Amino acid sequence: MARYTGPVCRLCRREGKKLFLKGDRCYSDKCAVGRRQSVPGQHGKSRKKVSEYGTQLRAKQTARRYYGVMENQMLKYFDMAERMPGKTGENLLSILERRLDNVVYRLGFAASRKEARQLVRHGHYTLNGKKANIPSILVKAGDVVSVAEGSRNSDKIKLVTEANASRPVPQWLDADKNQLTAKVVRLPAREDVDMDIEEQQIVEFYSK
């Protein structure tokens, strides 16, 4: 599967905000956004007026980079959101939130979404008691996500879960961090997305 393999701090600098792509580093003084305010590239320091299209593009790219999805995946999710009842933008964010790698990150079972994707691919988590190694699986209300029995004694999993044990869990997930398991009590709503995403700009971008 295609994925971005370059330096992720460049992505945060390009969007001009923290996308929390490197876990603890994003909360430290080493964060590239705090140290270097300009966008990457030779002409990064030059100031240019951003067009309406540019504003919409940046909103779309920000959402893509928050969740670590490629353009084809984003288009697929947008098509799904359009066919669902309700507001397309809010439906899109709900779909992105329901990705298994995002759920693992939100539960504090991984330091970042990138790390969550890697751990999911390596088979460290189960969905409804069955091995789940596809990061893009969309969870449903009633689903149960857990750390796999064979991974609970792994030094890596212990380190990650202990380091992120205090991370707040969104209300649409009912987590038992002692048992390393959680239930999806409902589908995520707009108020459950605590990131700076302008979903209406994304809708306008794809609606052209």
Side-chain angles (χ1 to χ4, degrees), residues 5-42:
T5 57
V8 294
C9 289
R10 286 177 64 90
L11 303 183
C12 297
R13 288 178 56 211
R14 181 62 189 88
E15 303 308 330
K17 63 183 70 173
K18 292 187 178 187
L19 303 179
F20 302 100
L21 304 177
K22 295 198 77 170
D24 293 339
R25 185 186 179 95
C26 300
Y27 298 94
S28 72
D29 294 336
K30 296 180 180 180
C31 176
V33 175
R35 290 165 46 222
R36 304 177 69 180
Q37 299 294 328
S38 61
V39 299
Q42 182 179 357

Side-chain angles (χ1 to χ4, degrees), residues 128-191:
N128 299 325
K130 297 180 180 179
K131 182 179 177 180
N133 57 6
I134 302 175
S136 60
I137 291 175
L138 299 181
V139 301
K140 305 182 296 295
D143 283 351
V144 176
V145 178
S146 307
V147 175
E149 286 291 338
S151 300
R152 297 192 175 205
N153 293 323
S154 162
D155 291 339
K156 173 63 176 179
I157 296 298
K158 284 183 177 179
L159 180 65
V160 168
T161 54
E162 290 173 4
N164 297 281
S166 61
R167 181 184 299 161
V169 177
Q171 294 184 352
W172 60 281
L173 297 170
D174 182 17
D176 184 341
K177 295 199 174 185
N178 291 325
Q179 297 299 319
L180 299 180
T181 187
K183 183 176 182 179
V184 181
V185 294
R186 61 174 172 81
L187 297 184
R190 179 62 184 93
E191 57 267 22

Side-chain angles (χ1 to χ4, degrees), residues 79-167:
D79 289 340
M80 290 173 57
E82 274 195 315
R83 294 193 297 269
M84 295 166 59
K87 296 182 179 179
T88 301
E90 294 182 5
N91 291 340
L92 176 62
L93 293 184
S94 178
I95 291 169
L96 290 167
E97 278 287 297
R98 288 166 51 202
R99 283 176 55 99
L100 180 58
D101 55 358
N102 179 72
V103 173
V104 167
Y105 166 72
R106 292 289 233 156
L107 291 170
F109 293 169
S112 65
R113 289 180 179 85
K114 181 179 181 180
E115 183 176 64
R117 256 189 316 281
Q118 183 183 51
L119 293 175
V120 169
R121 286 197 186 104
H122 290 174
H124 290 294
Y125 305 98
T126 63
L127 181 63
N128 299 325
K130 297 180 180 179
K131 182 179 177 180
N133 57 6
I134 302 175
S136 60
I137 291 175
L138 299 181
V139 301
K140 305 182 296 295
D143 283 351
V144 176
V145 178
S146 307
V147 175
E149 286 291 338
S151 300
R152 297 192 175 205
N153 293 323
S154 162
D155 291 339
K156 173 63 176 179
I157 296 298
K158 284 183 177 179
L159 180 65
V160 168
T161 54
E162 290 173 4
N164 297 281
S166 61
R167 181 184 299 161

